[in-house]
Amino acid sequence: MSWKDYIKEDMFPLFTCAGCTHGTVTNAFARVADELKLDKDKTVIVCAIGCAGRIPTFLDFPVLRVTHGRALAFATGIKLSHPEMKVVALMGDGDALAIGGNHFIHAARRNIDITAIVSRNEIYGMTGGQYAPTTPPGARATTAPYGMLEPAFDTCKMAAGAGATYVARTDAYHVQHLQRTLKTALQHKGFGVVEVLTSCPTQFGRRNKVADPAKMLERIKALTVTQAQAERMTPEELEGKFVIGEFVNTSRPELTEIYARAFAGMGV
């Protein structure tokens, strides 16, 4: 097999706008799936509404596409009923952190064995360019014509604070780092979160003077620093930057195993 065997080539062309990097995430996931030889009969991908939610339609796995913000709720049900399955939730930032924010923090608290991949393009792309909980202060959106006034979520800190046992950030510019991070996350036992910085030239870019796809990638490159670089920087220098790397990689009892032991104790 090759990574192309994990792609539904008959679904092409891609749904994305020119310059959107959700295709980069799709490609990276397929390559990692091939490296890990993920069993298509034992892997389920759950997604919801939005641009990132359409990524799985190009991946040759059983896919459950659900209502907006509910990917983790459905993924939890699949994992509890079929603990032997590998369950992956592919979400956008608005989907995972706004509409689905409650499911996100409780999935982390429970430490259920699901890999959550959150594409952070900093805006609601498919629904018209409204601001998301990740839109940076000052950035323009259709619902923030004078600039975003609210602070943005730090996805990784929120995931770590809620109890996720694997938390990492990567981006669509550093594709080898993206693939390495996805590979580690998919092998982790417990609730794993990977935030992927992606770009939306159509909705975010054209409202913020970076509509050129290449400039959006250069923006990601300029905004990201490694953990080693971050250690040498002052808080002022780190303001507005995204540190990429692995922040949490630990273990604690996983939810389906806790349920199995509880049921065994009751003779179920």
Side-chain angles (χ1 to χ4, degrees):
M1 291 183 70
S2 79
W3 66 272
K4 290 185 178 179
D5 293 313
Y6 290 91
I7 293 282
K8 292 179 181 174
E9 293 191 57
D10 59 330
M11 295 294 290
F12 281 82
L14 276 174
F15 66 95
T16 56
C17 302
C20 170
T21 45
H22 287 335
T24 306
V25 179
T26 310
N27 185 298
F29 188 92
R31 290 176 183 275
V32 172
D34 179 50
E35 283 187 56
L36 298 176
K37 304 302 178 192
L38 291 185
D39 189 333
K40 296 181 182 180
D41 294 326
K42 295 180 180 177
T43 303
V44 178
I45 300 177
V46 187
C47 61
I49 307 304
C51 299
R54 294 189 67 179
I55 291 174
T57 59
F58 295 87
L59 295 168
D60 193 16
F61 289 98
V63 171
L64 188 65
R65 195 165 192 220
V66 302
T67 47
H68 209 178
R70 306 295 178 249
L72 286 173
F74 282 83
T76 296
I78 294 168
K79 189 66 185 180
L80 281 172
S81 59
H82 292 281
E84 75 284 3
M85 301 290 286
K86 174 169 283 300
V87 182
V88 181
L90 275 161
M91 303 172 287
D93 43 6
D95 182 40
L97 307 176
I99 302 167
N102 200 34
H103 299 299
F104 183 84
I105 58 174
H106 289 290
R109 174 180 63 84
R110 293 168 178 142
N111 192 36
I112 188 166
D113 187 25
I114 295 171
T115 306
I117 301 170
V118 182
S119 291
R120 182 183 183 121
N121 65 1
E122 303 178 305
I123 204 160
Y124 282 93
M126 184 174 287
T127 55
Q130 299 90 347
Y131 70 74
T134 51
T135 302
R140 295 178 185 273
T142 53
T143 48
Y146 302 107
M148 179 64 164
L149 301 177
E150 304 169 10
F153 266 141
D154 185 321
T155 310
C156 292
K157 286 183 178 177
M158 181 163 63
T165 49
Y166 183 83
V167 181
R169 180 184 291 122
T170 182
D171 63 85
Y173 179 87
H174 301 94
V175 291
Q176 292 183 337
H177 185 268
L178 168 61
Q179 288 180 211
R180 288 197 302 271
T181 304
L182 292 181
K183 184 177 180 180
T184 303
L186 287 167
Q187 295 177 96
H188 177 77
K189 180 74 172 179
F191 189 67
V193 176
V194 177
E195 182 178 57
V196 186
L197 306 182
T198 56
S199 56
C200 177
T202 300
Q203 296 291 7
F204 184 91
R206 68 189 175 92
R207 291 183 173 82
N208 292 282
K209 300 180 180 179
V210 280
D212 181 81
K215 288 184 178 178
M216 286 225 73
L217 277 174
E218 290 171 358
R219 175 178 176 270
I220 291 176
K221 181 185 178 185
L223 288 176
T224 50
V225 296
T226 65
Q227 289 169 304
Q229 291 172 320
E231 290 174 1
R232 299 191 295 270
M233 297 170 69
T234 66
E236 291 75 21
E237 290 172 329
L238 276 173
E239 187 68 29
K241 299 287 188 183
F242 290 95
V243 180
I244 59 172
E246 188 179 274
F247 306 107
V248 178
N249 190 351
T250 187
S251 63
R252 63 182 174 88
E254 190 271 333
L255 185 67
T256 61
E257 294 178 346
I258 293 172
Y259 267 76
R261 287 195 294 272
F263 287 148
M266 291 187 290
V268 176

